[in-house]
Amino acid sequence: IQRSIDRDKEWTEYHAETLAELVDEDASNDFYLTQAKVERKAVNLWNDGYHEKAIAKLEQVVDDDKQAHDIQMRGWFQQLAARIADRWGN
């Protein structure tokens, strides 16, 4: 704590580097939080009986170029959309 109070050069450099790394991690976390929000929204729509809207929400993310590099998430959303469509007919 004293090094921080004294504005020790090594400490401030370390702190700045650590914060820079956290900012990069936060950008990645935002990406996954956005995907989680979409999944939750789709499940809520499905639960409320809005099957078509739930599927459209998932397809919107699957077709989004920003999401294209995350193949596993795209596959999961496609699987969830298929499950919703299958249950919709029942």
Side-chain angles (χ1 to χ4, degrees), residues 9-68:
K9 184 179 182 203
E10 288 180 19
W11 170 251
T12 56
E13 287 175 2
Y14 168 78
H15 190 261
E17 289 172 10
T18 303
L19 284 177
E21 290 173 8
L22 289 175
V23 169
D24 289 342
E25 289 177 14
D26 284 346
S28 177
N29 287 340
D30 286 346
F31 175 76
Y32 292 111
L33 286 173
T34 298
Q35 289 181 331
K37 287 178 187 177
V38 168
E39 182 178 359
R40 181 177 178 168
K41 179 70 174 172
V43 170
N44 286 342
L45 286 167
W46 179 21
N47 189 49
D48 292 341
Y50 298 105
H51 301 87
E52 193 170 352
K53 287 183 179 183
I55 293 168
K57 185 64 131 171
L58 294 166
E59 287 177 343
Q60 179 183 11
V61 174
V62 168
D63 294 339
D64 185 359
D65 289 337
K66 294 178 204 168
Q67 311 287 334

